[in-house]
Each structure stands twice: as C-alpha cells, then as structure tokens.
C-alpha cells in the first residue's frame, strides 16, 4: 500500500484513477480480513483415497458407512468422548509397518520427521505413542505429502470413516492409508469461505467440516479414548498407544450421541469449543471435570495424545493423578478397566504452547 501511495505522489496527473484502484483494493482487503482466507483451496479426500503425494500405500485402513457424529462443524477438542470411532478389539492402522517403511526409506523418513519436528531416530518412539482411530466427522487438517525428495503440504478435508493415528492431545497426526503426517490447519483458513477440489461425497457440507484442536495442556495427555463403534451402537474405551488388544468392554454411548440438538445449525466455525463429557454413565455426574477455554497447539515434536479419559502425569497409571484413584472420564465402570493397558514412560516433550 505504501508503494501505491508513493506512485500517486509522483504522478499527480493520474491520481484520480489510482485513487479509485486504491479504494477498491482497500475494500477487498477489508472483506478478506473479515471472513478468513477466502482464496484458500481445500482438497477433499474421500475414504480409501491416498490423496496427492503419498509416502506409501496401505489398504484396509478406512471404513465406509461409518455413522457420523451427531455434533459436527465448528471446532472441538481432541478429548471429546465419541469424537473418534473404531472397531472394538481391532485397529485398521498398523504403526509398526509405518515405522518399518520409514526406516527402509531414509529420505522419506527425514522429510516425515521434519514435518513433525522430531529427529529421525525418534520416529519409532513417536509412532509407538500414537493411537489408531477412525474419524467420525469430516475433518479439516493440513496434509503433508512427499514429492521430489521433499515434503509438500496443503489443506485437506478427510471424510468421516478415514483411519488416522492421533497424538496425546487428541489431534490427528498420521493418515493411515498413505502414511502422510498431518498437522492442524492454518488458522486463517475457514471451510465456509474456501473453494474445494477433489471428488465430493454424499452429505458433504462446508458447515459440517470440523477442526480438532488439542486438549488443554493443563489437563495432561490422554490416557483413555472414549470411542464409538462404526454402527454407532455402543461406546468403549481404548487406552492410549494401544491397537485394540486392550479395549474395554462395551458401554453406553456418550450423551453427545443421543442428546437432542438445540438447533438445526451447527455452531459457527471458530465460535468456541465443545465442552467434553467427563462422566461415566450411572457412576458419575457428567461435567465433574471442569474445563477451561484455552486451546493450546501441540509444540513441535509433541507425540502425546490428548485423551477424553484419564489425566495423568505418567500416562498409563489409570488414576489420572487423582489421589482418590477415581476415574475422571471414559465410560467404564469401576472394575471394568481393560486388562493389559500399556504403561508408557513419562513424556519428554514440553507441554503444548498457545499459538
């Protein structure tokens, strides 16, 4: 804008037309600032589609006809019960195969680790702390591919039913059918104002695209995820960093699956976060774990998943750091905790920083 004014000062004879151009530019800038990045182009990726620039290819990681979460659109935190789905005692993602592939392809491993801000040597530990789940909402992410020896990136919407691995704050971190690392979308991108490329799917609506933000750092990392089966008939708990072998028994669905919406329209994008359900049906009163409004973004190198279940300074202890030993979330009842939950070493990464 400074350059345009200097031209006007030097060419007084053309001040009229230029002034009109300046006014038009200012109006356009104001319009853009009020509605996010209207020029953004988001790629739609359907279930079973690797998408552009895949690191590798894997089959059987996604599921069709997953019953989507009733509450969709806007933003929500990664520890919200029922946000993710899965098949009890089964996981479609294979973390070990991903690690083996990256170890066999050092150039891709270097690019992959660079996206997530970790050393290449830390890939096995990082991946071992992720949790395989299924998306239950069309989800906005930044998808990072690999082309010509380097990482690529671009905004994408992943269709509900796609298999992903999530980190300790509940944020999608790996796209299972291609191995691509995922990060949170840029804040300036709004699904409502962007243009879309790629094949659409029945029921796709911009207003129902969900952005998943990390669990609050003050709560620590997730210990147990509250998942819903693909048919939407039951809930169950999956301990963090497990692949189904330690899943808990079937439980009632989270209240968010059966409650009657107060409005036909989802909450406006970026209008605030959904309050996670923290009670256990029949045993605790929902909302016993107060939540704040902060939504820190995971720091570089953070591999700890956010959990809608237990909070603990040492993930895997199962009591959430509560001296009373009572569970602060999830759907299991006392005595129903799954056997064989993995005990993980304390996280060495810093807590998420507020972006």
């Amino acid at each position: 804008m400074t350059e345009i004014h200097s031209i006007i000062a030097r060419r007084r004879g053309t001040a009229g037309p230029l002034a009109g151009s300046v006014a038009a530019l200012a109006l356009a800038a104001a319009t853009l600032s009020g509605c996010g990045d209207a020029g953004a182009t988001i790629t739609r990726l359907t279930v079973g589609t690797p998408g552009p620039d895949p690191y590798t290819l894997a089959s059987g990681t996604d599921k069709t006809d997953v019953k989507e979460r009733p509450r969709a659109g806007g933003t929500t935190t990664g520890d919200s019960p029922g946000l993710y789905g899965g098949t009890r005692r089964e996981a479609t993602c294979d973390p070990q195969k991903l690690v083996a592939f990256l170890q066999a392809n050092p150039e891709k491993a270097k690019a992959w680790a660079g996206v997530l801000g970790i050393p290449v040597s830390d890939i096995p530990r990082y991946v071992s702390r992720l949790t395989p789940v299924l998306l239950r909402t069309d989800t906005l992410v930044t998808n990072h591919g690999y082309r010509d020896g380097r990482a690529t990136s671009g905004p994408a919407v992943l269709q509900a039913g796609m298999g992903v691995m999530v980190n300790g704050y509940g944020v999608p971190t790996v796209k299972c059918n291609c191995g691509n690392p995922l990060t949170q979308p840029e804040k300036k991108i709004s699904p409502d104002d962007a243009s879309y490329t790629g094949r659409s799917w029945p029921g796709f609506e911009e207003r129902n695209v969900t952005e998943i933000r990390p669990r609050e750092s003050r709560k620590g990392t997730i210990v147990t995820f509250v998942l819903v089966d693909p048919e939407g008939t039951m809930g169950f708990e999956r301990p963090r960093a497990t692949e189904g072998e330690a899943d808990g028994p079937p439980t009632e669905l989270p209240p968010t699956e059966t409650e009657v919406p107060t409005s036909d329209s989802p909450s406006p994008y970026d209008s605030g976060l959904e309050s996670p359900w923290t009670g256990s049906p029949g045993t605790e009163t929902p909302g016993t774990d107060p939540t704040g409004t902060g939504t820190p973004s995971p720091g570089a190198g953070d591999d700890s998943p956010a959990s809608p279940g237990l909070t603990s300074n040492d993930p895997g202890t199962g009591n959430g750091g509560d001296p009373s030993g009572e569970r602060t979330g999830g759907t299991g009842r006392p005595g129903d905790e799954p056997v064989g939950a993995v005990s993980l070493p304390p996280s060495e990464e810093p807590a998420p920083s507020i972006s």
Side-chain angles (χ1 to χ4, degrees), residues 58-149:
S59 60
T61 64
D62 305 340
K63 285 189 178 294
T64 58
D65 299 326
V66 167
K67 183 176 181 181
E68 296 188 30
R69 192 169 188 247
R71 182 176 295 179
T75 58
T76 187
T77 52
D79 59 356
S80 303
L83 174 61
Y84 297 114
T87 300
R88 185 171 170 269
R89 301 288 184 181
E90 177 186 326
T92 55
C93 302
D94 193 329
Q96 291 76 27
K97 281 188 177 181
L98 175 62
V99 171
F101 171 81
L102 292 173
Q103 290 177 330
N105 295 270
E107 290 301 315
K108 287 187 174 182
K110 181 179 179 181
W112 195 95
V115 168
L116 298 172
I118 61 174
V120 173
S121 60
D122 203 31
I123 289 177
R125 186 190 70 88
Y126 182 92
V127 174
S128 73
R129 298 170 72 87
L130 303 180
T131 307
V133 296
L134 294 173
L135 295 177
R136 298 189 66 229
T137 62
D138 297 338
T139 303
L140 180 65
V141 298
T142 299
N143 178 38
H144 301 268
Y146 181 84
R147 183 177 65 240
D148 299 331

Side-chain angles (χ1 to χ4, degrees), residues 103-334:
Q103 290 177 330
N105 295 270
E107 290 301 315
K108 287 187 174 182
K110 181 179 179 181
W112 195 95
V115 168
L116 298 172
I118 61 174
V120 173
S121 60
D122 203 31
I123 289 177
R125 186 190 70 88
Y126 182 92
V127 174
S128 73
R129 298 170 72 87
L130 303 180
T131 307
V133 296
L134 294 173
L135 295 177
R136 298 189 66 229
T137 62
D138 297 338
T139 303
L140 180 65
V141 298
T142 299
N143 178 38
H144 301 268
Y146 181 84
R147 183 177 65 240
D148 299 331
R150 63 183 61 189
T152 63
S153 67
V157 169
L158 309 184
Q159 184 184 7
M162 193 167 288
V164 298
M165 286 189 272
V166 295
N167 69 11
Y169 293 90
V171 177
T173 306
V174 176
K175 185 171 177 284
C176 295
N177 64 16
C178 62
N180 286 12
L182 305 172
T183 57
Q184 288 182 262
E186 295 183 25
K187 287 188 175 181
K188 66 179 181 179
I189 295 177
S190 169
D192 292 332
D193 301 316
S195 59
Y196 288 82
T197 62
R199 184 164 57 92
S200 186
W201 49 84
F204 173 79
E205 292 187 37
E206 290 88 344
R207 70 191 188 106
N208 288 334
V209 172
T210 301
E211 179 183 342
I212 299 172
R213 293 183 178 178
R215 169 187 173 98
E216 294 179 69
S217 60
R218 69 177 180 83
K219 293 183 177 182
T221 56
I222 296 173
V223 174
T224 302
F225 288 89
V226 179
L227 307 182
V228 171
D229 71 312
E231 295 76 25
T233 60
M234 69 175 184
F236 64 94
E237 294 186 352
R238 173 167 294 172
R240 169 193 168 194
T242 62
E243 301 171 40
E245 72 282 358
D247 287 351
T251 62
E252 298 177 18
L253 291 169
T256 50
E257 299 299 306
T258 55
E259 66 185 9
V260 179
T262 56
S263 171
D264 292 335
S265 302
S267 56
Y269 194 76
D270 258 352
S271 63
L273 298 175
E274 167 186 330
S275 298
W277 168 63
T278 54
S280 298
T283 59
E284 294 181 355
T285 301
T288 55
D289 181 11
T291 59
T293 57
T295 53
S297 300
D302 178 83
D303 62 349
S304 310
S307 143
L310 318 174
T311 303
S312 169
N313 293 328
D314 181 9
T317 56
N319 62 12
D322 185 347
S324 67
E326 295 180 354
R327 300 173 72 83
T328 58
T331 56
R333 296 173 174 79

